[in-house]
Amino acid sequence: MVPKRMIVLVSIAAVLTICAPILAAAYNLMDPEDLKVRLDSGQPLILVDIQPVNAYREHHLYGSLATYAYPVKTELEGRSLEQAVSVYEAYRHDVVIISPRGGRAAQRAHDFLVGKGIPEEQVFILRGGISQWPYREMLLNIRGGCG
């Protein structure tokens, strides 16, 4: 006979396996290639960079709004995203969240921005974050030079 605990664990694992893709699909992910096309074409975007200050200084995209909100777990970190809301309210352009790896912190930033009234269809997360950005020549460092 199979213990009840084992049945519960297997059931939870099955539910998580089924629901994980659905939950991940709730966020609009933007591939690096798509962001590069938009940047190259001059399409107006609001780039919200949530990297920690040292990481931002090492590599960020030109024109990105430095919020230093990573990991977006505290109220203070969340409040640092308010400037992105203000910029959105002024221009109404699509928002792209740039995080270290495009994971949970980016999702928390997304949830914060959507919760502040930015339409979900206008908030994107850079897939893979800055660590997976393949166009290294487009990155700036603290000196303003290319990475």
Side-chain angles (χ1 to χ4, degrees):
M1 179 156 189
V2 179
K4 285 184 181 182
R5 187 174 191 182
M6 181 61 82
I7 293 172
V8 170
L9 291 174
V10 169
S11 298
I12 290 171
V15 168
L16 290 175
T17 301
I18 292 168
C19 292
I22 295 167
L23 293 173
Y27 296 97
N28 299 319
L29 300 178
M30 184 177 291
D31 290 322
E33 298 78 15
D34 295 334
L35 179 55
K36 184 179 185 308
V37 167
R38 288 182 174 205
L39 292 172
D40 287 346
S41 70
Q43 180 177 351
L45 295 167
I46 301 167
L47 303 176
V48 179
D49 196 314
I50 67 168
Q51 295 184 89
V53 67
N54 289 339
Y56 180 85
R57 287 178 178 164
E58 289 177 24
H59 46 258
H60 62 276
L61 290 169
Y62 177 78
S64 60
L65 183 63
T67 66
Y68 313 124
Y70 185 84
V72 197
K73 288 185 175 181
T74 68
E75 185 178 332
L76 179 63
E77 291 162 347
R79 273 190 270 141
S80 66
L81 291 168
E82 291 284 350
Q83 59 183 321
V85 175
S86 297
V87 172
Y88 173 81
E89 289 171 347
Y91 299 101
R92 305 281 181 201
H93 298 310
D94 286 350
V95 175
V96 181
I97 299 165
I98 301 169
S99 69
R101 290 172 297 286
R104 293 291 302 142
Q107 292 173 355
R108 287 189 292 273
H110 170 281
D111 294 345
F112 178 89
L113 296 173
V114 169
K116 290 293 183 174
I118 300 177
E120 191 164 14
E121 62 272 10
Q122 283 193 270
V123 182
F124 299 86
I125 295 172
L126 177 61
R127 186 185 304 273
I130 202 79
S131 67
Q132 297 299 310
W133 181 254
Y135 311 103
R136 305 312 279 180
E137 70 281 359
M138 293 179 73
L139 296 179
L140 302 177
N141 60 35
I142 194 168
R143 296 173 299 283
C146 293

